[in-house]
């Protein structure tokens, strides 16, 4: 694995951390199934510990969801039973093949159809460390329309992106966390963009078991959304979430990065085994034990 490249320069947030706008509907969206129950349960336990005041919506990855539905009931998550027909149709068009079940990763796009004014989508190979309330209420048309936590320099596009001016100098991001509103990004935007520009997408997308991440990047870039890093909109927030992040320490039980900035969540993106010996792993293990105890009652 190559060393991670430096992050883009950050600027100070324009507004102080707040609780969002009164009367707005904010919530968290996740995707899960029984195959990843060992990740889903610790995530939900961390949600219960840090963000239970926010509604959470669980989008099924497939029909293997007996334990997943039980977990949703235990943790008060709204289980989205409606079939994502448009998303599945798009995924089959983009990634054909009878055995290509990884295309179901596009089901995270159902987060854009939830009855929310702003949604935070989060992968479940994550644990949450802080209240997400300060993340909401920061979207602004023409300025901040899509918020991400971490850049991703290697896992979005290939070298052919240089042919396309609209991809010049754009922020490439990890799509394991994002915040937006369907005021700025709708499911129909994905369908329309792929109808018009699928050939360009397939020309520039990075291969290698990457499905949703190149697509979410491409559509936000093609449609010119104003993308911001979390530290640019939330005071003292860290850009860091990678499970192998160097220099992480804990202050009052919460992680901070090497600059003392507050880490909101840890993401085991690319991990091939369950956490065991990393800096965030004791917290994950504690949440896992608590979650399984609650699940088996």
């Amino acid at each position: 694995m190559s060393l991670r490249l430096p992050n883009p320069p950050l600027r100070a947030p324009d507004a102080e951390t707040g609780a969002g706008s009164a009367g707005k509907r904010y919530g968290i969206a996740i995707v899960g199934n029984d195959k990843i129950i060992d990740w889903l349960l610790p995530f939900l336990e961390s949600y219960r510990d840090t963000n239970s005041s926010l509604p959470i919506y669980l989008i099924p990855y497939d029909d293997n969801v007996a334990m997943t539905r039980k977990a949703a009931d235990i943790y008060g998550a709204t289980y989205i039973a409606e079939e994502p027909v448009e998303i599945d149709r798009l995924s089959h068009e983009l990634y054909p093949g009878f055995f290509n079940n990884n295309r179901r990763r596009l089901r995270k796009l159902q987060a854009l159809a939830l009855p929310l004014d702003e949604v935070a989508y989060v992968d479940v190979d994550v644990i949450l460390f802080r209240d997400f309330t300060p993340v909401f209420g920061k979207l602004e048309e023409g300025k901040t329309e899509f918020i991400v936590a971490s850049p991703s320099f290697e896992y979005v596009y290939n070298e052919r992106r240089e042919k396309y001016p609209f991809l010049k100098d754009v922020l490439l991001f990890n799509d394991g966390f994002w915040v937006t509103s369907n005021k700025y990004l709708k499911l129909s935007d994905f369908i329309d963009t792929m109808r018009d520009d699928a050939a360009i997408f397939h020309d520039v997308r990075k291969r290698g078991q990457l499905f949703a991440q190149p697509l979410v990047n491409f559509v936000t870039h093609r449609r010119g959304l104003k993308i911001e890093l979390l530290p640019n909109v939330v005071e003292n927030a860290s850009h860091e979430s990678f499970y192998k992040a160097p220099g992480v320490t804990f202050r009052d039980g919460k992680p901070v990065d090497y600059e003392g900035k507050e880490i909101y969540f840890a993401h085991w993106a690319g991990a091939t085994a369950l956490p065991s010996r990393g800096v965030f792993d004791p917290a994950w293990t504690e949440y896992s034990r608590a979650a399984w105890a609650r699940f088996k009652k």
Side-chain angles (χ1 to χ4, degrees), residues 6-239:
N7 287 291
L10 304 178
R11 60 172 176 75
D14 293 331
E16 293 184 358
T17 298
S21 303
K24 294 284 188 177
R25 299 167 299 171
Y26 305 125
I28 297 171
I30 60 175
V31 174
N33 71 351
D34 290 3
K35 185 176 179 180
I36 58 168
I37 195 71
D38 285 328
W39 289 104
L40 176 62
L41 287 177
F43 174 91
L44 288 171
E45 187 70 20
S46 73
Y47 156 79
R48 181 181 184 273
D49 190 36
T50 60
N51 281 276
S52 59
S53 63
L54 286 168
I56 188 167
Y57 295 80
L58 201 164
I59 300 163
Y61 183 82
D62 55 22
D63 296 330
N64 180 22
V65 289
M67 290 188 291
T68 298
R69 297 196 75 149
K70 178 181 177 180
D73 290 341
I74 291 171
Y75 288 95
T78 299
Y79 182 87
I80 306 301
E82 182 181 356
E83 285 287 324
V85 176
E86 291 181 301
I87 297 170
D88 286 351
R89 183 184 302 119
L90 176 63
S91 70
H92 278 76
E93 291 172 355
L94 292 178
Y95 307 116
F98 186 76
F99 296 106
N100 194 3
N101 290 327
N102 286 326
R103 59 175 165 245
R104 288 181 180 270
R105 295 177 188 177
L106 268 60
R107 285 193 167 191
K108 67 174 61 178
L109 300 180
Q110 198 169 6
L112 299 171
L114 296 176
L116 298 169
D117 295 295
E118 295 182 15
V119 61
Y121 170 80
V122 191
D123 280 354
V124 295
D125 53 349
V126 158
I127 56 172
L128 310 179
F129 284 107
R130 299 180 189 275
D131 179 10
F132 270 28
T133 302
V135 173
F136 294 105
K138 299 295 193 294
L139 298 176
E140 183 178 347
E141 186 173 2
K143 186 176 181 181
T144 304
E145 298 167 338
F146 195 87
I147 300 170
V148 299
S150 302
S152 178
F153 300 101
E154 300 179 40
Y155 302 108
V156 177
Y157 300 131
N158 59 46
E159 66 280 358
R160 289 189 292 277
R161 63 174 284 210
E162 300 298 331
K163 299 191 301 182
Y164 302 97
F166 72 90
L167 295 177
K168 183 177 176 59
D169 299 326
V170 293
L171 174 62
L172 310 184
F173 56 85
N174 183 302
D175 80 329
F177 169 90
W178 41 263
V179 179
T180 194
S181 167
N182 57 23
K183 177 181 178 181
Y184 306 122
L185 185 66
K186 302 181 290 295
L187 176 58
S188 61
D189 293 332
F190 284 81
I191 295 169
D192 294 345
T193 301
M194 289 300 100
R195 179 197 61 214
D196 298 335
D197 292 319
I200 300 176
F201 170 66
H202 287 302
D203 188 38
V204 301
R205 71 178 175 91
K206 187 88 173 223
R207 266 64 170 180
Q209 296 303 302
L210 296 170
F211 297 88
Q213 184 157 290
L215 179 65
V216 177
N217 273 263
F218 184 85
V219 172
T220 55
H221 295 150
R222 188 64 173 128
R223 303 191 77 83
L225 264 68
K226 303 301 181 182
I227 304 170
E228 275 288 8
L229 285 167
L230 183 63
N232 290 341
V233 295
V234 175
E235 186 177 11
N236 205 40
S238 174
H239 69 274

Side-chain angles (χ1 to χ4, degrees), residues 268 273-278 281-282 284-285:
W268 279 263
L274 295 178
S276 60
R277 293 181 291 182
D281 296 356
W284 184 93
T285 300

